[in-house]
Amino acid sequence: MRSARFRRSRRAAAITLVSALSLTALAACGTSSSGDDSSDGAQQSGSSDPTIPLDPKTKVTLTIDCMPPTAKAAELKEWKEDVAEFNKTYPNVTIEGRSTPGQCLEPPRFTAMLKAKSQPDVFYTYFTDLPQVLAEDGAADISAYVSPKTVPLLKDIDPDVLDSLKHQGNLYGLPTSNYTMGLLINRKLFKDAGLDPDAPPRTWDEVRAAAKKIAALGDGIAGFGEYSAGNTGGWHFTAQMYSLGGDVVDASGTKAAFNNELGKQVAKNLHAMRWEDDSMGKTQLLKWGDLQKQIATDKLGMFLAAPDDIAYMVQQLGAKYENFGMGPIPGGRNTLAGGNNYMVKKGISPDKIKAAVAWLNFKNLTVGKGQFDWARTKADGLPVGIPQPNFWLNGSKTKDDAARVEHATMPVANFKAFMDNPVPGKAEPPKAQEVYKVLDNVMSGLLTNEDADVDKLLSTAEAQVNQVLAHQ
């Protein structure tokens, strides 16, 4: 699920909290903006024509979600620097950042905020939050405000990323980060087991064979790890279905689509790895954070993850960048994709919307500036070289990739297999968190019960997911 460089820890916190919530109950933090006023108590001198960029002389005050807290000194320093730089072009725009102690994304707070219409002018969400935000009439349609005039690199943003923020052709947000899942490996354990860490497994048969070799090292080491609790098991079951070209919900969004041969293939393979091969370790019912601790301490060979897990493990768990590598998701047909973005509160003035787009363009959508100022990021002791966020195409991608390599704080060659073999991203299913909660039962059943009945697990889950999808 997730400063774009810290989206994973936020996504993890949200996933932990969302058990009783719907698909779109992941989201943003903060309190704020005073409602639907258009004046801010300041004189408005701009044009209401959305195709015309904001006049720098227009006085606007913007409240913005998820300003880094004091505890994240480097990120907060960069935020303040960016505000000062932005104000050189727009001196009459006052940026009022909102920060929240602890995790920025807390689903209960987000849901309450939307219902109370108390979100800031510019508020932070996941891609999957759009249905919930629209159901609460919370976001402005910014389609007319976003063009090559206001976002010069618009043509270089991956259209799949932008499509995640659209409904019926209308645009409701601008991205800050994106991710696709791949196979994260422990390079030390690969070498110890006689495997090539520069060539991670590309099929699930290869994963199974490699996991057996790694587990044979003994000392409590598992070859491959999986989640089965806190909605994360269902999340990964979905990713494995995608990797084989399958799905968990059909194209209509109204019926389960995993109780079939592909679903049985995923389930039987996991069950065999756990019980026939004994390559997944004896400790199960794991959730986000558990596998990270195992691989960071050389007790796990590989698991499915997004690249930003690596920064989390180095910064929070004391691991070393050089110990990790990544390859594309095994199977390679599709991979689960997601990301984070900012939306603009519905009802604020046109000038505020223009100011919001101008800020988001500067902070998050300009190569070499804001979050993509890799020289500054390195100087501030933050990670550089992780493959994502990377939603750039064309010349912007070439320029940004070169800067990441130039200022890298880690061996970027370790991620070459992942970068050189991109897999098409596929969005999370409708009512994702409720679907994942059901599919947790499939994963936990497979990994904790040697006598698990695969057909029964899948058919029971199918009926439950159909019930979830019937209430939309």
Side-chain angles (χ1 to χ4, degrees):
M1 204 220 211
R2 254 100 40 48
S3 167
R5 291 179 288 280
F6 289 89
R7 65 195 181 280
R8 164 62 73 184
S9 59
R10 292 170 178 146
R11 185 167 65 246
I15 288 171
T16 302
L17 290 165
V18 357
S19 300
L21 300 176
S22 69
L23 137 81
T24 54
L26 295 172
C29 67
T31 55
S32 210
S33 156
S34 56
D36 299 341
D37 67 286
S38 60
S39 67
D40 297 307
Q43 180 181 359
Q44 298 291 310
S45 58
S47 167
S48 61
D49 184 345
T51 65
I52 299 176
L54 181 71
D55 184 338
K57 296 179 181 178
T58 302
K59 291 185 178 180
V60 172
T61 296
L62 277 182
T63 52
I64 301 178
D65 231 351
C66 296
M67 179 180 74
T70 304
K72 292 186 174 179
E75 293 93 327
L76 182 58
K77 165 187 169 290
E78 292 185 351
W79 171 282
K80 291 178 178 179
E81 289 173 349
D82 287 338
V83 170
E85 185 67 23
F86 177 75
N87 282 151
K88 291 179 181 179
T89 302
Y90 297 101
N92 286 347
V93 176
T94 299
I95 301 293
E96 292 186 357
R98 300 284 195 260
S99 64
T100 301
Q103 295 296 337
C104 178
L105 302 181
E106 294 184 6
R109 178 189 295 128
F110 181 62
T111 298
M113 180 180 70
L114 283 178
K115 289 186 177 299
K117 310 294 185 189
S118 63
Q119 68 268 38
D121 300 323
V122 187
F123 61 102
Y124 190 74
T125 78
Y126 293 133
F127 290 174
T128 50
D129 293 325
L130 182 57
Q132 182 188 12
V133 174
L134 294 182
E136 297 292 345
D137 204 25
D141 174 4
I142 60 173
S143 306
Y145 295 85
V146 177
S147 71
K149 288 183 180 180
T150 57
V151 181
L153 298 183
L154 184 63
K155 64 179 176 56
D156 287 352
I157 299 174
D158 186 339
D160 289 338
V161 171
L162 287 176
D163 285 347
S164 299
L165 304 173
K166 291 181 179 179
H167 176 68
Q168 297 181 347
N170 297 324
L171 182 66
Y172 291 92
L174 288 171
T176 63
S177 65
N178 66 315
Y179 76 89
T180 55
M181 294 181 73
L183 186 68
L184 178 61
I185 69 165
N186 180 302
R187 291 177 62 87
K188 176 184 182 299
L189 294 181
F190 262 62
K191 291 176 183 176
D192 290 348
L195 299 165
D196 183 357
D198 294 322
R202 297 289 294 275
T203 69
W204 286 105
D205 285 343
E206 290 176 359
V207 168
R208 184 175 177 183
K212 283 194 279 190
K213 290 184 178 180
I214 294 169
L217 295 170
D219 195 27
I221 294 170
F224 180 73
E226 262 302 2
Y227 302 127
S228 52
N231 294 19
T232 55
W235 178 43
H236 272 210
F237 184 90
T238 299
Q240 290 206 34
M241 287 292 291
Y242 285 4
S243 77
L244 296 173
D247 214 330
V248 295
V249 174
D250 71 3
S252 73
T254 61
K255 290 186 178 180
F258 53 80
N259 188 15
N260 51 32
E261 288 308 308
L262 282 182
K264 292 174 183 177
Q265 180 180 334
V266 170
K268 289 178 179 178
N269 184 61
L270 285 168
H271 189 266
M273 291 176 69
R274 169 68 177 95
W275 300 105
E276 294 175 25
D277 304 345
D278 194 22
S279 64
M280 294 186 67
K282 293 182 171 36
T283 302
Q284 296 299 325
L285 298 179
L286 305 175
K287 58 185 182 297
W288 200 94
D290 296 328
L291 297 179
Q292 287 78 1
K293 290 175 184 175
Q294 290 180 7
I295 202 168
T297 55
D298 299 331
K299 292 297 183 181
L300 176 64
M302 53 189 161
F303 73 104
L304 297 182
D308 56 356
D309 273 18
I310 298 167
Y312 166 79
M313 292 185 292
V314 171
Q315 294 181 310
Q316 302 297 320
L317 304 179
K320 302 294 184 184
Y321 285 118
E322 54 267 26
N323 203 28
F324 303 110
M326 280 200 77
I329 194 168
R333 294 287 298 279
N334 291 293
T335 184
L336 194 147
N340 307 331
N341 62 283
Y342 276 96
M343 294 182 185
V344 178
K345 184 178 182 180
K346 187 172 182 178
I348 66 174
S349 72
D351 282 333
K352 274 193 171 188
I353 298 177
K354 289 182 181 184
V357 171
W359 165 256
L360 294 174
N361 172 67
F362 172 79
K363 177 67 174 170
N364 299 317
L365 301 174
T366 302
V367 173
K369 298 289 186 181
Q371 70 164 332
F372 293 109
D373 184 346
W374 298 118
R376 179 182 68 174
T377 304
K378 179 180 181 179
D380 288 338
L382 297 171
V384 180
I386 294 172
Q388 294 166 345
N390 198 335
F391 44 68
W392 297 119
L393 302 174
N394 309 318
S396 293
K397 178 173 175 57
T398 300
K399 182 178 178 181
D400 184 63
D401 285 351
R404 289 175 194 250
V405 172
E406 179 185 355
H407 301 291
T409 59
M410 62 194 74
V412 294
N414 290 3
F415 315 124
K416 182 174 173 54
F418 179 81
M419 295 299 293
D420 289 355
N421 300 279
V423 176
K426 187 178 176 70
E428 294 181 86
K431 293 219 164 185
Q433 297 303 326
E434 291 179 67
V435 171
Y436 296 163
K437 183 179 180 182
V438 172
L439 290 173
D440 267 3
N441 297 327
V442 175
M443 294 291 273
S444 61
L446 295 170
L447 300 178
T448 64
N449 181 8
E450 186 172 2
D451 299 320
D453 185 331
V454 168
D455 290 344
K456 184 175 181 180
L457 284 171
L458 291 176
S459 61
T460 299
E462 178 185 35
Q464 292 173 341
V465 167
N466 284 341
Q467 271 193 317
V468 166
L469 297 173
H471 296 87
Q472 297 194 62

